[in-house]
mmCIF file of all heavy atoms in Angstrom:
data_model
loop_
_atom_site.group_PDB
_atom_site.id
_atom_site.type_symbol
_atom_site.label_atom_id
_atom_site.label_comp_id
_atom_site.label_asym_id
_atom_site.label_seq_id
_atom_site.Cartn_x
_atom_site.Cartn_y
_atom_site.Cartn_z
ATOM 1 N N PHE A 182 94.171 87.860 123.255
ATOM 2 C CA PHE A 182 94.461 89.295 123.314
ATOM 3 C C PHE A 182 93.242 90.123 123.701
ATOM 4 O O PHE A 182 93.334 91.322 123.913
ATOM 5 C CB PHE A 182 94.965 89.814 121.962
ATOM 6 C CG PHE A 182 96.283 89.246 121.523
ATOM 7 C CD1 PHE A 182 96.605 89.172 120.180
ATOM 8 C CD2 PHE A 182 97.212 88.789 122.442
ATOM 9 C CE1 PHE A 182 97.820 88.661 119.756
ATOM 10 C CE2 PHE A 182 98.427 88.269 122.029
ATOM 11 C CZ PHE A 182 98.735 88.209 120.685
ATOM 12 N N GLY A 183 92.057 89.472 123.719
ATOM 13 C CA GLY A 183 90.833 90.213 124.023
ATOM 14 C C GLY A 183 90.174 90.812 122.797
ATOM 15 O O GLY A 183 89.371 91.730 122.894
ATOM 16 N N LEU A 184 90.507 90.265 121.607
ATOM 17 C CA LEU A 184 89.943 90.772 120.348
ATOM 18 C C LEU A 184 88.719 89.988 119.881
ATOM 19 O O LEU A 184 88.198 90.252 118.805
ATOM 20 C CB LEU A 184 91.005 90.714 119.244
ATOM 21 C CG LEU A 184 92.079 91.782 119.290
ATOM 22 C CD1 LEU A 184 93.261 91.400 118.402
ATOM 23 C CD2 LEU A 184 91.518 93.123 118.853
ATOM 24 N N GLY A 185 88.283 89.013 120.667
ATOM 25 C CA GLY A 185 87.195 88.151 120.227
ATOM 26 C C GLY A 185 87.755 86.867 119.660
ATOM 27 O O GLY A 185 88.965 86.694 119.548
ATOM 28 N N ASP A 186 86.848 85.946 119.281
ATOM 29 C CA ASP A 186 87.318 84.632 118.857
ATOM 30 C C ASP A 186 87.419 84.459 117.345
ATOM 31 O O ASP A 186 87.698 83.374 116.857
ATOM 32 C CB ASP A 186 86.408 83.546 119.439
ATOM 33 C CG ASP A 186 84.957 83.713 119.025
ATOM 34 O OD1 ASP A 186 84.653 84.672 118.286
ATOM 35 O OD2 ASP A 186 84.127 82.877 119.446
ATOM 36 N N LYS A 187 87.219 85.535 116.582
ATOM 37 C CA LYS A 187 87.372 85.448 115.123
ATOM 38 C C LYS A 187 88.806 85.811 114.741
ATOM 39 O O LYS A 187 89.531 86.431 115.522
ATOM 40 C CB LYS A 187 86.402 86.403 114.439
ATOM 41 C CG LYS A 187 84.941 86.018 114.644
ATOM 42 C CD LYS A 187 84.045 86.949 113.879
ATOM 43 C CE LYS A 187 82.595 86.542 114.045
ATOM 44 N NZ LYS A 187 81.694 87.463 113.363
ATOM 45 N N ASP A 188 89.203 85.429 113.520
ATOM 46 C CA ASP A 188 90.519 85.826 113.025
ATOM 47 C C ASP A 188 90.628 87.345 113.040
ATOM 48 O O ASP A 188 89.629 88.063 112.921
ATOM 49 C CB ASP A 188 90.735 85.312 111.603
ATOM 50 C CG ASP A 188 90.899 83.798 111.547
ATOM 51 O OD1 ASP A 188 91.027 83.164 112.620
ATOM 52 O OD2 ASP A 188 90.888 83.244 110.438
ATOM 53 N N ALA A 189 91.838 87.842 113.170
ATOM 54 C CA ALA A 189 92.068 89.288 113.242
ATOM 55 C C ALA A 189 93.310 89.645 112.426
ATOM 56 O O ALA A 189 94.026 88.760 111.946
ATOM 57 C CB ALA A 189 92.234 89.726 114.697
ATOM 58 N N ILE A 190 93.532 90.939 112.268
ATOM 59 C CA ILE A 190 94.749 91.433 111.624
ATOM 60 C C ILE A 190 95.318 92.587 112.439
ATOM 61 O O ILE A 190 94.601 93.263 113.173
ATOM 62 C CB ILE A 190 94.497 91.922 110.177
ATOM 63 C CG1 ILE A 190 93.410 93.004 110.131
ATOM 64 C CG2 ILE A 190 94.190 90.763 109.256
ATOM 65 C CD1 ILE A 190 93.257 93.683 108.784
ATOM 66 N N ARG A 191 96.615 92.763 112.299
ATOM 67 C CA ARG A 191 97.270 93.959 112.847
ATOM 68 C C ARG A 191 97.896 94.682 111.671
ATOM 69 O O ARG A 191 98.608 94.083 110.862
ATOM 70 C CB ARG A 191 98.332 93.597 113.862
ATOM 71 C CG ARG A 191 99.010 94.865 114.398
ATOM 72 C CD ARG A 191 99.891 94.629 115.575
ATOM 73 N NE ARG A 191 100.175 95.903 116.201
ATOM 74 C CZ ARG A 191 100.628 96.041 117.417
ATOM 75 N NH1 ARG A 191 100.830 94.986 118.165
ATOM 76 N NH2 ARG A 191 100.876 97.228 117.912
ATOM 77 N N VAL A 192 97.645 95.988 111.585
ATOM 78 C CA VAL A 192 98.149 96.805 110.483
ATOM 79 C C VAL A 192 99.024 97.918 111.058
ATOM 80 O O VAL A 192 98.579 98.677 111.925
ATOM 81 C CB VAL A 192 96.981 97.430 109.682
ATOM 82 C CG1 VAL A 192 97.517 98.281 108.543
ATOM 83 C CG2 VAL A 192 96.048 96.354 109.158
ATOM 84 N N ARG A 193 100.254 98.011 110.558
ATOM 85 C CA ARG A 193 101.168 99.082 110.967
ATOM 86 C C ARG A 193 101.697 99.769 109.718
ATOM 87 O O ARG A 193 102.077 99.099 108.755
ATOM 88 C CB ARG A 193 102.349 98.525 111.746
ATOM 89 C CG ARG A 193 102.044 98.074 113.143
ATOM 90 C CD ARG A 193 103.317 97.586 113.795
ATOM 91 N NE ARG A 193 103.121 97.275 115.186
ATOM 92 C CZ ARG A 193 103.739 96.301 115.832
ATOM 93 N NH1 ARG A 193 104.605 95.539 115.190
ATOM 94 N NH2 ARG A 193 103.519 96.083 117.104
ATOM 95 N N GLY A 194 101.725 101.092 109.745
ATOM 96 C CA GLY A 194 102.228 101.818 108.597
ATOM 97 C C GLY A 194 102.585 103.245 108.940
ATOM 98 O O GLY A 194 102.304 103.730 110.039
ATOM 99 N N GLU A 195 103.209 103.915 107.978
ATOM 100 C CA GLU A 195 103.641 105.303 108.157
ATOM 101 C C GLU A 195 103.552 106.016 106.815
ATOM 102 O O GLU A 195 103.866 105.438 105.776
ATOM 103 C CB GLU A 195 105.077 105.332 108.679
ATOM 104 C CG GLU A 195 105.631 106.709 108.914
ATOM 105 C CD GLU A 195 107.038 106.683 109.499
ATOM 106 O OE1 GLU A 195 107.330 105.819 110.352
ATOM 107 O OE2 GLU A 195 107.853 107.531 109.084
ATOM 108 N N PHE A 196 103.105 107.267 106.845
ATOM 109 C CA PHE A 196 103.034 108.067 105.622
ATOM 110 C C PHE A 196 103.126 109.544 105.984
ATOM 111 O O PHE A 196 103.067 109.904 107.161
ATOM 112 C CB PHE A 196 101.744 107.763 104.836
ATOM 113 C CG PHE A 196 100.469 107.967 105.618
ATOM 114 C CD1 PHE A 196 99.761 109.158 105.531
ATOM 115 C CD2 PHE A 196 99.973 106.953 106.425
ATOM 116 C CE1 PHE A 196 98.590 109.343 106.247
ATOM 117 C CE2 PHE A 196 98.789 107.126 107.130
ATOM 118 C CZ PHE A 196 98.099 108.321 107.042
ATOM 119 N N THR A 197 103.297 110.387 104.973
ATOM 120 C CA THR A 197 103.363 111.834 105.203
ATOM 121 C C THR A 197 102.228 112.531 104.457
ATOM 122 O O THR A 197 101.778 112.077 103.410
ATOM 123 C CB THR A 197 104.712 112.422 104.749
ATOM 124 O OG1 THR A 197 104.889 112.147 103.360
ATOM 125 C CG2 THR A 197 105.864 111.841 105.544
ATOM 126 N N LEU A 198 101.785 113.633 105.038
ATOM 127 C CA LEU A 198 100.753 114.473 104.444
ATOM 128 C C LEU A 198 101.214 115.920 104.483
ATOM 129 O O LEU A 198 101.911 116.321 105.419
ATOM 130 C CB LEU A 198 99.445 114.370 105.244
ATOM 131 C CG LEU A 198 98.730 113.018 105.279
ATOM 132 C CD1 LEU A 198 97.586 113.070 106.284
ATOM 133 C CD2 LEU A 198 98.216 112.655 103.901
ATOM 134 N N LYS A 199 100.820 116.696 103.492
ATOM 135 C CA LYS A 199 101.101 118.132 103.492
ATOM 136 C C LYS A 199 99.808 118.887 103.786
ATOM 137 O O LYS A 199 98.797 118.670 103.117
ATOM 138 C CB LYS A 199 101.654 118.574 102.137
ATOM 139 C CG LYS A 199 103.081 118.186 101.910
ATOM 140 C CD LYS A 199 103.617 118.864 100.667
ATOM 141 C CE LYS A 199 105.106 118.587 100.527
ATOM 142 N NZ LYS A 199 105.670 119.296 99.370
ATOM 143 N N LEU A 200 99.855 119.753 104.777
ATOM 144 C CA LEU A 200 98.674 120.542 105.135
ATOM 145 C C LEU A 200 98.189 121.371 103.949
ATOM 146 O O LEU A 200 96.987 121.492 103.713
ATOM 147 C CB LEU A 200 98.993 121.467 106.320
ATOM 148 C CG LEU A 200 99.417 120.791 107.633
ATOM 149 C CD1 LEU A 200 99.674 121.847 108.699
ATOM 150 C CD2 LEU A 200 98.382 119.789 108.104
ATOM 151 N N SER A 201 99.125 121.916 103.191
ATOM 152 C CA SER A 201 98.766 122.774 102.058
ATOM 153 C C SER A 201 97.971 122.019 100.995
ATOM 154 O O SER A 201 97.182 122.613 100.258
ATOM 155 C CB SER A 201 100.015 123.405 101.444
ATOM 156 O OG SER A 201 100.950 122.417 101.068
#
Side-chain angles (χ1 to χ4, degrees):
F182 295 154
L184 284 164
D186 58 0
K187 294 183 178 177
D188 290 350
I190 56 171
R191 179 169 195 162
V192 180
R193 287 182 174 146
E195 180 177 321
F196 57 96
T197 59
L198 295 171
K199 285 190 174 183
L200 299 181
S201 56

